[in-house]
Amino acid sequence: MIKKFAAELIGTAVLVFFGCGAAVLAGFDVVGQLGIALAFGFAIIAMAYGIGPVSGCHVNPAVSLGVFAAGRMSAKDMVIYWIAQFIGAVIGAMILGAIAKTGFTQLGQNGFAAGSPGGYGLHAALIFEIVATAIFVIAILGVTGAKGHGAFAGVSIGITLAVIHIVGIQVTGVSVNPARSFGPAILAGGQALSQLWGFIVAPLIGAVLGGLLFRLKLLEPEA
């Protein structure tokens, strides 16, 4: 379990550093929304093949909850993964803040209303995060299942995350990952911290919905 803990910590740190780093260090003026979306997707692909054989590369508390809800993970292991993921996210955000010219004030934090890049309100943010997380978890559980396409799992998951970002960056900056939101918000404080609850609650609800579809055998392939 120590190896899995280390893998999840490092993987989540990399996701936050590369994904949020694309938004902070390059931004819309340099790489644009598509570039930021691809940074998150490519980071997941890299980690899927880098640490996937060790921990499965969840790097996301919502994914771990979805795997648990589907009956593929114990509660004990899920909690250990969560601890590693939240710590890793803070480390990734700290590295980014130490590099960024804006310091820890701009770390690619998520938000709604005044914190939304496109000015979307709370209801839109919650709906997007729940639905997008459910879709993300469904994609992950499907491609990593017994009849999934193991060799291409990382690519499929990365593309799914990139598409989610293409669609949703203007809505919330895209979380679908409580740890990814936690790291930047804890360090940036202020509005990001006050709105953090939404980016913990909504992704976890979406994860349970996605996981239960597999637990109830509605999306499990026939034997």
Side-chain angles (χ1 to χ4, degrees):
M1 184 51 72
I2 293 177
K3 291 182 179 180
K4 292 182 179 179
F5 184 94
E8 287 297 307
L9 186 152
I10 293 170
T12 311
V14 169
L15 176 67
V16 171
F17 178 60
F18 280 170
C20 295
V24 175
L25 302 180
F28 290 97
D29 294 336
V30 179
V31 297
Q33 182 165 319
L34 178 59
I36 296 169
L38 291 177
F40 276 99
F42 287 159
I44 281 291
I45 292 173
M47 289 299 96
Y49 294 106
I51 67 170
V54 180
S55 69
C57 187
H58 293 187
V59 299
N60 181 340
V63 170
S64 296
L65 179 59
V67 174
F68 168 75
R72 300 185 189 178
M73 185 181 205
S74 70
K76 178 183 177 181
D77 286 353
M78 179 183 70
V79 172
I80 292 173
Y81 271 46
W82 279 5
I83 294 171
Q85 291 155 359
F86 280 111
I87 293 174
V90 173
I91 291 173
M94 289 179 66
I95 295 172
L96 177 57
I99 296 170
K101 294 179 180 178
T102 53
F104 295 96
T105 61
Q106 296 295 327
L107 295 171
Q109 51 265 43
N110 299 118
F112 50 82
S116 163
Y120 288 83
L122 175 59
H123 75 286
L126 293 179
I127 292 171
F128 172 78
E129 291 293 335
I130 291 171
V131 173
T133 306
I135 292 170
F136 190 42
V137 168
I138 288 170
I140 291 170
L141 292 174
V143 79
T144 59
K147 292 189 176 182
H149 303 281
F152 299 99
V155 175
S156 175
I157 294 167
I159 290 174
T160 302
L161 186 60
V163 172
I164 287 172
H165 278 77
I166 291 171
V167 174
I169 283 179
Q170 289 300 312
V171 183
T172 63
V174 180
S175 172
V176 300
N177 183 337
R180 170 263 182 272
S181 298
F182 179 83
I186 286 294
L187 297 179
Q191 178 178 264
L193 188 58
S194 69
Q195 295 183 349
L196 177 60
W197 66 270
F199 301 103
I200 293 177
V201 173
L204 293 183
I205 292 174
V208 170
L209 293 176
L212 287 178
L213 291 175
F214 284 84
R215 186 66 170 261
L216 298 174
K217 308 298 183 182
L218 295 175
L219 293 181
E220 287 284 3
E222 296 295 333

